[in-house]
Amino acid sequence: MFFELDFNSEIPKYQLLINAINDGLSNNTLASGDALPSVNSICKDYNLSRDTVFKAYSILKDNGVVESVPNKGYFVAGNTRKVLLVLDTFKAYKEVVYHAFVNNLPKNVIVDVQFHHYNINNFKTILTNGKGKYFKYVVMSFSHKEVPSILSEIDNESLLLIDWNMYSKSNNNYVFQDFGKSFFTALNEAVIRFKTYKKLVFAYPTFTNHPIETVKYFKKFCEENQFKYQVITNPEEFKVVKGEAYISVSDRILGEFLEQCRSKNLEPGKDVGFLSYNETPMKPFIYKGISVISTDFKQMGAKAAEFVTTKEPLQTYIPTKLILRESL
């Protein structure tokens, strides 16, 4: 049995060994009941100390991945299960989903995380190569005509779609957020704050993959409340002007907003306003707090873990909420 260990990496050696064994389980070169190399043989083959190998095996044992048999050695635990989690990108709020998902799973579940980056070839390769290798599949899809046929190759009882309702069927399992009516409702909760500004500007840059229906409901909100408004798709046209409030689905735009406020001596929440999409761990602490419209990503991750740990079908939407802070 051969493990690929990159000793030029900054990752601790014991963690390299843990990762190699988990990778073996994910790609089916290791299976439940397989014997693992002895501590002595790994020490000899990879020039590792006994303490390093023993630490790796002990952590795997504590996590329920391996079990030890007196006088026989270490074996892959018989009840180990593998789950494939496919995310689009690893942004801050996706990290919240990931940690909530992993932290709500039992120790005998191993999670293999892959990213498609909105690339259909990546998406197809990940799911095609993973077909039949995992107990459950938790997938963030995206807008592309080939996505439905790729998803149809995965057994419906094993598949959970999360985040964006794109190409879902009536019998699919899902945990979604709503980017339309819920967004509109949240905007209405902030209407008093918005009335202190002369114009609302939605920054929806061309590089975003955020659902376009959000823009439609922004326009509806402004027209029903008789707000002067503008939608900007070119990031170079984003100019902060005193008396205007800005909404954006991009944290790059948030950074540009704060930079322009500093250079123009404008105070967020007084001279100009900003409402960001998607809560992250840092937004309560940026400046004096950034107002957000966001779903509960912790709840999304926890619900996805619930699908893995039960045999029950799951179809639910996670609420979208407004969190007002000093920026608006």
Side-chain angles (χ1 to χ4, degrees):
M1 188 178 296
F2 177 75
F3 296 125
E4 292 187 6
L5 304 179
D6 180 12
F7 293 123
N8 293 320
S9 169
E10 295 181 358
I11 299 173
K13 292 179 179 179
Y14 75 87
Q15 188 63 50
L16 288 173
L17 182 55
I18 291 172
N19 292 348
I21 292 172
N22 284 336
D23 288 345
L25 287 165
S26 294
N27 61 32
N28 283 343
T29 57
L30 281 173
S32 297
D34 283 353
L36 294 174
S38 69
V39 173
N40 287 338
S41 65
I42 292 183
C43 291
K44 180 180 178 181
D45 292 343
Y46 299 95
N47 194 28
L48 296 173
S49 70
R50 285 182 58 85
D51 286 345
T52 296
V53 180
F54 185 74
K55 182 175 183 178
Y57 276 6
S58 296
I59 292 173
L60 287 166
K61 183 179 178 182
D62 290 342
N63 289 342
V65 177
V66 305
E67 53 191 15
S68 61
V69 179
N71 301 319
K72 290 188 177 181
Y74 292 88
F75 298 82
V76 177
N79 64 344
T80 300
R81 289 182 167 180
K82 296 177 292 180
V83 173
L84 177 62
L85 175 63
V86 183
L87 302 177
D88 42 27
T89 57
F90 202 61
K91 295 181 179 179
Y93 58 94
K94 303 296 171 60
E95 186 175 3
V96 175
V97 174
Y98 168 76
H99 284 295
F101 179 63
V102 172
N103 291 339
N104 281 280
L105 291 173
K107 290 183 177 181
N108 68 316
V109 175
I110 297 170
V111 179
D112 185 7
V113 186
Q114 301 283 342
F115 302 93
H116 58 67
H117 300 287
Y118 303 99
N119 182 295
I120 193 60
N121 292 324
N122 291 345
F123 189 80
K124 184 175 183 179
T125 298
I126 292 167
L127 289 177
T128 300
N129 291 345
K131 184 180 178 182
K133 296 181 180 179
Y134 296 92
F135 170 60
K136 293 286 180 72
Y137 300 78
V138 180
V139 180
M140 283 185 180
S141 65
F142 64 107
S143 179
H144 193 283
K145 63 182 180 180
E146 293 184 36
V147 165
S149 62
I150 296 170
L151 291 175
S152 68
E153 295 296 317
I154 305 298
D155 178 57
N156 187 61
E157 292 183 357
S158 302
L159 175 65
L160 177 72
L161 303 177
I162 63 172
D163 194 34
W164 185 5
N165 185 358
M166 179 60 57
Y167 307 119
S168 67
K169 298 179 180 178
S170 60
N171 62 339
N172 281 143
N173 297 288
Y174 59 78
V175 179
F176 291 144
Q177 60 171 310
D178 174 47
F179 294 91
K181 292 181 180 179
S182 293
F183 173 66
F184 178 79
T185 299
L187 288 179
N188 273 302
E189 293 175 7
V191 69
I192 294 177
R193 297 278 187 103
F194 284 130
K195 284 184 176 180
T196 62
Y197 301 96
K198 63 184 181 181
K199 181 180 177 182
L200 305 187
V201 179
F202 195 144
Y204 185 84
T206 52
F207 58 73
T208 186
N209 287 285
H210 191 93
I212 191 66
E213 64 180 313
T214 302
V215 176
K216 181 183 78 171
Y217 278 94
F218 166 74
K219 292 179 178 179
K220 178 182 178 182
F221 166 76
C222 291
E223 289 165 2
E224 288 190 3
N225 288 281
Q226 298 182 330
F227 286 121
K228 184 179 179 181
Y229 70 91
Q230 179 183 6
V231 177
I232 295 175
T233 58
N234 184 354
E236 295 182 2
E237 296 177 359
F238 181 75
K239 307 296 180 185
V240 178
V241 177
K242 186 175 182 180
E244 296 183 352
Y246 302 88
I247 302 171
S248 182
V249 297
S250 168
D251 286 347
R252 290 190 224 174
I253 296 295
L254 170 58
E256 178 64 24
F257 168 80
L258 293 172
E259 181 64 30
Q260 289 191 35
C261 285
R262 181 170 61 178
S263 65
K264 297 177 180 181
N265 197 30
L266 298 173
E267 185 172 352
K270 292 186 178 180
D271 301 318
V272 289
F274 198 94
L275 178 62
S276 181
Y277 215 106
N278 294 323
E279 176 74 306
T280 68
M282 290 304 298
K283 285 180 183 175
F285 309 104
I286 297 174
Y287 186 67
K288 296 179 182 178
I290 303 299
S291 296
V292 297
I293 287 178
S294 181
T295 193
D296 187 335
F297 292 105
K298 285 185 179 180
Q299 187 179 355
M300 181 177 291
K303 276 291 182 183
E306 180 182 312
F307 172 76
V308 172
T309 56
T310 68
K311 296 182 180 180
E312 299 298 320
L314 179 60
Q315 294 184 333
T316 189
Y317 273 82
I318 306 299
T320 296
K321 297 181 179 180
L322 171 73
I323 303 174
L324 285 173
R325 300 187 178 112
E326 294 297 317
S327 69
L328 186 65

